[in-house]
Amino acid sequence: MGSSRWRPPLGRRRAARVIAVAGGGPGVGASVVASNLAVALAGLGPHVVLVDLDLVAARQQALFGLKRPLPGVQAWLDRKIETLEASLTSTGIRNLHLVTGATPERGRALPADQRYALMTELAHLDGDVVVVDVGAANREDLLDFFSTRALRVLVSGPDRGAIETSFAFLKGASLRAESLYGEGAREALARFRGRIVGNNTRTPEEAESFHAFSRLVRDHLGIPLPVLGCLRGSDRIAQSIAAQRPLLARRGLDENVRAFHAMAEALMMDGVISDDACELATDVPPEITAGPLPVDLRSYLRQYPRYPVDWAARLELEGRITDVRVLDVSFTGAAIEVFSDLRGGDRGWLRFEQLQGQPALAVVVRNVVSTVRRIGVSFEEPGETSSRLVAAASALAAATERRHEDGPGRPTPVPNSA
């Protein structure tokens, strides 16, 4: 049991939670996101298996610095091993094993029957959570095969090209749904079970663009795609790649480390994925090329920028007092993580206990994303107090920017100017 490989008897095992990670286009960092998410998930206690399903440019072996891994997906395809269970390679990180992919010179696209067999094999892996690095070259598998009991995570960069490529990919999902479900397409897409991760952002405004993109996708394609998290462009990530050790497996704490942990917690809080998830597999996928978005993304930006924070607070609603975690603030509202059931229209007070003076604001619940336990609240009377909150959050953002310019140092304390 001390080896961390003890599992309950097979008859009592639950089906693994499958999280498929793919890039909206090439070069957006999906493999790096997948590796660090796997480390963060393993840190929460479950046994995690990371599968490198990029059969053209597999990277996970190098990202973990593994010199002699066991034969993985390629060996299974070549029928050198009977099951992927025999290919679990220790990463040196507790609760985390890797199934390697194919070498670049041997990588190839797979026929549908082999891919279906591979998906079945993934479901039988001995793990509580299976994180799959789908790879940009075969990202259509995110729509073809990762539907039932799987959560799709799409990674994108903030630049215009990456955003447009991601939209084109999701447009393909919408067209598939129209072909498969007809008038029921919107209802089917409501069960898409997707998240988006914004990677390599440089400013709070760029991070906000992913929330705007999420709203645009919901309105124009009918696909709910909540933002799982945003990651900042960082020299530490580049250094971790060069050192062949994931960021979360190295020493040091920064906003990206905290973001990965928050994303892992959100993924584990997500409910068990039911068998009525949106299936979009088709023999003839529609051909979609990237182009301009249907509307200017700026029309979906909030009037007031939001600033990411990690503050403890208390939410007082109808006589109930609940400890919450504030994820971001703006002049007119905040996003918070909460573990109690709330409804749109609920009213109460949000007290920022971590800040000097414990300022409080009357709030209204505007939207509830129950799958990730997040709610958005608006301040009933934004004014001096909300301005002070924004000033404190802005000071945190400025301090973060200075750390990036000067190099990593000690974690920045919460400003007490609020």
Side-chain angles (χ1 to χ4, degrees):
M1 292 181 67
S3 69
S4 81
R5 286 286 293 140
W6 180 86
R7 310 303 319 149
L10 291 178
R12 300 181 184 178
R13 281 181 52 199
R14 296 180 179 178
R17 183 187 303 263
V18 180
I19 302 168
V21 182
V28 296
S31 292
V32 173
V33 170
S35 62
N36 282 285
L37 270 181
V39 175
L41 287 162
L44 296 176
H47 175 221
V48 179
V49 178
L50 173 60
V51 181
D52 196 337
L53 208 59
D54 191 332
L55 303 181
V56 176
R59 298 191 61 200
Q60 294 300 338
Q61 176 181 338
L63 290 175
F64 282 88
L66 300 177
K67 304 303 181 184
R68 296 181 179 178
L70 295 174
V73 173
Q74 189 65 59
W76 182 83
L77 293 172
D78 294 339
R79 298 185 178 181
K80 294 181 179 179
I81 56 175
E82 293 185 5
T83 68
L84 287 180
E85 188 67 32
S87 67
L88 298 184
T89 297
S90 174
T91 62
I93 297 169
R94 184 175 177 82
N95 296 330
L96 178 58
H97 288 76
L98 172 67
V99 176
T100 59
T103 55
E105 62 270 17
R106 299 188 64 188
R108 62 183 188 274
L110 299 181
D113 59 340
Q114 274 193 312
R115 283 187 287 181
Y116 274 117
L118 186 55
M119 295 306 109
T120 301
E121 189 67 21
L122 292 179
H124 288 88
L125 281 171
D126 179 15
D128 302 310
V129 181
V130 176
V131 178
V132 184
D133 179 4
V134 177
N138 54 318
R139 65 173 184 164
E140 291 293 331
D141 286 348
L142 200 65
L143 303 179
D144 282 326
F145 302 107
F146 292 102
S147 54
T148 302
R149 307 196 66 81
L151 184 67
R152 305 171 172 111
V153 176
L154 190 65
V155 182
S156 177
D159 58 282
R160 178 177 176 179
I163 291 291
E164 290 179 346
T165 301
S166 296
F167 184 84
F169 175 72
L170 295 167
K171 176 66 174 178
S174 177
L175 293 178
R176 286 173 181 235
E178 292 177 9
S179 173
L180 294 169
Y181 299 99
E183 294 181 356
R186 283 266 171 166
E187 181 181 351
L189 286 171
R191 304 190 300 273
F192 183 77
R193 306 296 293 190
R195 303 286 183 269
I196 187 168
V197 172
N199 193 24
N200 203 31
T201 65
R202 294 174 289 276
T203 64
E205 289 74 20
E206 283 191 343
E208 165 62 19
S209 69
F210 289 103
H211 294 273
F213 180 71
S214 173
R215 293 189 284 270
L216 185 152
V217 168
R218 179 194 59 206
D219 285 357
H220 287 264
L221 300 178
I223 298 176
L225 195 73
V227 176
L228 181 62
C230 290
L231 301 164
R232 190 179 179 90
S234 167
D235 289 340
R236 291 194 67 220
I237 290 182
Q239 292 163 6
S240 72
I241 296 172
Q244 297 190 320
R245 196 67 172 163
L247 175 68
L248 267 66
R250 308 182 78 205
R251 291 186 178 182
L253 179 67
D254 62 16
E255 62 270 34
N256 284 335
V257 172
R258 288 190 288 267
F260 275 118
H261 285 303
M263 288 190 281
E265 291 169 5
L267 289 171
M268 291 306 294
M269 285 191 297
D270 202 344
V272 175
I273 298 172
S274 62
D275 292 332
D276 67 346
C278 179
E279 296 212 33
L280 296 171
T282 177
D283 294 333
V284 185
E287 293 185 9
I288 302 293
T289 57
L293 297 177
V295 296
D296 192 331
L297 187 61
R298 289 175 295 183
S299 65
Y300 278 87
L301 293 173
R302 290 185 172 185
Q303 181 180 0
Y304 299 99
R306 66 174 75 191
Y307 294 90
V309 296
D310 189 5
W311 293 343
R314 300 186 79 179
L315 185 64
E316 303 171 9
L317 293 174
E318 299 179 352
R320 293 180 300 164
I321 300 177
T322 305
D323 292 326
V324 300
R325 179 182 183 183
V326 182
L327 306 174
D328 63 53
V329 297
S330 71
F331 178 70
T332 57
I336 64 177
E337 184 179 88
V338 62
F339 291 91
S340 59
D341 294 329
L342 298 173
R343 299 166 299 175
D346 285 348
R347 282 179 159 80
W349 289 83
L350 183 61
R351 186 175 300 279
F352 296 81
E353 294 190 321
Q354 188 176 345
L355 303 182
Q356 187 180 45
Q358 298 188 358
L361 285 162
V363 297
V364 181
V365 176
R366 293 301 183 190
N367 56 74
V368 178
V369 185
S370 58
T371 53
V372 292
R373 296 293 185 181
R374 294 184 185 181
I375 67 171
V377 299
S378 63
F379 302 142
E380 291 205 68
E381 296 183 0
E384 180 182 352
T385 300
S386 59
S387 293
R388 289 165 56 200
L389 294 176
V390 168
S394 178
L396 275 177
T400 298
E401 183 66 35
R402 287 194 298 272
R403 286 209 314 277
H404 279 280
E405 293 175 354
D406 300 337
R410 295 182 179 180
T412 303
V414 175
N416 60 13
S417 59

